[in-house]
Amino acid sequence: MASMCKWTFLQAMCLVVSLSVALPENYEDDIDVNFGPNYLNEITEEDQMEGETPTPSPEPCKGSVFTKWDKLFTMLENSQMKENMLLQYADDIIKVELLSLREEMLQFVAQYGGSCASAVENSVRRAGIQTETRLQNALDRVREVSADQSAQHDVALQQLLAASVNQTTRLERLENECLKLGGRGQASQAKSVQARHLMQEVTETENGGRLEKTLAGISSELQTIREQLTLYTKSVFANSFPSGCDTGLLFPTRSSTAHAEVSPKTPFQTNAVTICLWVKPTQVLNKTILFSYSTTGNAYELQLVLNGRSVFFTVDGETHLVQALGAAQEGHWVHICAVWSSQQGLASLWVNGQQAASSPGVAEGHELRSKGSILLGQEYGRFFRHLSIPDTFDAELAFTGKMTGVNMWDRVLDSKEISQQARLDGSGCGIRGNVVAWGVSDIEPKGGVKLIY
């Protein structure tokens, strides 16, 4: 092994020596190549000198003759080979390290994956429990603070009321002192004492004034809250039906076909009648029909009509009527009852449970005929069943708005029965008529009229 190393070293030395003596003498290009001193094929300074003949030296071995270009290319090839070897080595190292890292990660996931998932789930559960606990504690604190503030407000109101009473007493005393000072001629010492007392009373008066201002501010806030509650109550009632009714009729537009036809529970022929209903008009116009009962012999047997904000009730034509002024208002529910008896022709109108108008001699002795037709929101008038085209009306008389709680009796209701139906927040819709009963009688909307819930 040692002899092989020596032989390799001798060959390398021969190559170096042969390269140093093989440069041409007359080479004109001056190439400055500077590599480190560790390369065996280094170009010496003697090779760069022109015209100089190197000193012959004993050649231990013979070798091939190389030019400067050959040596340069050889160095470049060596450098490229070293670079490739380093890159290959680095690539191998990286691959090995990545494979090792992948194996370690797979082992880690296989070993700790389940425990990590359970730990995350437990952490999330604990966080949820803690959050819920904190929210509950915060709500409890808010309730406690609210209760404390309410108690403090009550105490402050009591103090303010007491201060107001004391303030009135002090003002009276101050007035009396002023009158005494103006009407008496007292000594200067007495005046000085009274003046100091007066200044003290004035100071107390100013403090009382501040208390009065605070009391006025609280009263203003309470008034604002009361107004907001009133608006909220109105909005709730505006979007619901009154008196416990759960259905209603919507008359969206005025047209020659919009109406609702009611079928009575039983045929009737009577000399007394009571009609009650809830209406919420969209517009109050000249003559809008709410309820009409027509027969083949008389198209105007009964009519309940809106005329502007007034309500008209006619029996056997418009010459026999009773009128209640200012009964209706746009966008507001109103309960209307019309009562008539042929005995003495006594007719009356009730608005929101109160009698608004009454009149004797209205169609006295008249008897309502049976087998007629009841319409809501329209009247047959002169078109009643005589034309070949039914359901043709006057669009100018059509009602627009909402209607519910329509009932009819063949008798006169007393004031208590009427007032029970007229309670806005009551359950009057449960009281039903024996001729027309809301929620029981067959009501057929037509011409765009809708049954709403």
Side-chain angles (χ1 to χ4, degrees), residues 253-291:
T253 58
R254 307 183 74 188
S255 69
S256 60
T257 59
H259 70 286
E261 190 169 309
V262 182
S263 300
K265 293 172 60 179
T266 57
F268 70 98
Q269 186 170 351
T270 180
N271 53 9
V273 69
T274 301
I275 302 168
C276 293
L277 50 81
W278 283 94
V279 291
K280 182 181 179 182
T282 303
Q283 287 182 312
V284 287
L285 304 170
N286 295 331
K287 193 173 182 181
T288 300
I289 305 299
L290 300 177
F291 180 99

Side-chain angles (χ1 to χ4, degrees), residues 324 327 334-338 348-358 415-416 418-423:
V334 59
H335 186 259
I336 301 172
C337 279
S348 60
L349 279 171
W350 298 69
V351 178
N352 293 329
Q354 301 295 325
Q355 183 173 321
S358 64
S415 59
K416 184 177 180 181
I418 294 174
S419 62
Q420 286 178 351
Q421 301 176 59
R423 292 183 58 185

